[in-house]
DNA sequence: GCCTAATGTTGCATTAATACTACATAGCAT
DNA sequence: ATGCTATGTAGTATTAATGCAACATTAGGC
């Protein structure tokens, strides 16, 4: 299995896209449409198979009514919130 | 002249890296070292020739003691601050 | 003047991020 | 059971983001 995110091998980006999306009752396709990307791209991000571009991160945050720093972090999120 | 940022042709990312860096008295090389990238990369970003990955944006913001949203924006910054 | 540091410019190589297609699977209706 | 929706998995193709090297330019200090 090939495996991206290797230009920054030890610095993945964690995110809370799935939780925030579920909280709004959106499907991946819904979110992808709002953010203007392919729905598979949302899947890759939620599974943290790679980390987004800054433009995309901003668009997703906006689509989910969140701050970029609340959605994405270099350190893992605590569960619950 | 070839020209990136064309996958999102009408959505560039504006930034205040140069101002924030100058305010700390850092050279591009200094900032590049702190952020762990090539010094030319900082130049490209300051000239807004392309927009960074999210990881890099976070690292740069951290190196400059700024919030990502204070450094980068989809809409142009007012001058002065 | 010369030297150095900081920045700009150009060009090339590599790769991660993204788009897209196809198929599998699981759940939930009806 | 059949259908539909959401999601996962796998593969290919394109390109923007990054690294890097070489050289030009500009500003300051001596």
């Amino acid at each position: 299995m090939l495996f991206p995110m290797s230009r920054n091998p030890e610095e993945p980006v964690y995110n809370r896209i799935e939780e925030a999306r579920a909280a709004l009752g959106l499907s991946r396709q819904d979110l992808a449409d709002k953010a203007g990307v392919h729905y598979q791209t949302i899947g890759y991000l939620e599974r943290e198979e790679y980390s987004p571009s800054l433009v995309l991160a901003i668009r997703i945050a906006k689509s989910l009514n969140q701050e970029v720093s609340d959605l994405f972090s270099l350190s893992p999120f605590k569960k619950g919130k």
Side-chain angles (χ1 to χ4, degrees), chain A residues 14-32:
Chain A
Y14 303 91
N15 72 76
R16 299 181 44 84
I17 298 178
E18 187 164 20
E19 298 88 320
R21 176 174 65 77
L24 295 183
L26 299 175
S27 72
R28 287 183 183 170
Q29 182 67 67
D30 295 334
L31 175 56

Side-chain angles (χ1 to χ4, degrees), chain A residues 27-39 42 59 63:
Chain A
S27 72
R28 287 183 183 170
Q29 182 67 67
D30 295 334
L31 175 56
D33 291 343
K34 295 186 84 175
V37 288
H38 196 89
Y39 82 102
I42 305 292
R59 290 220 218 102
S63 304

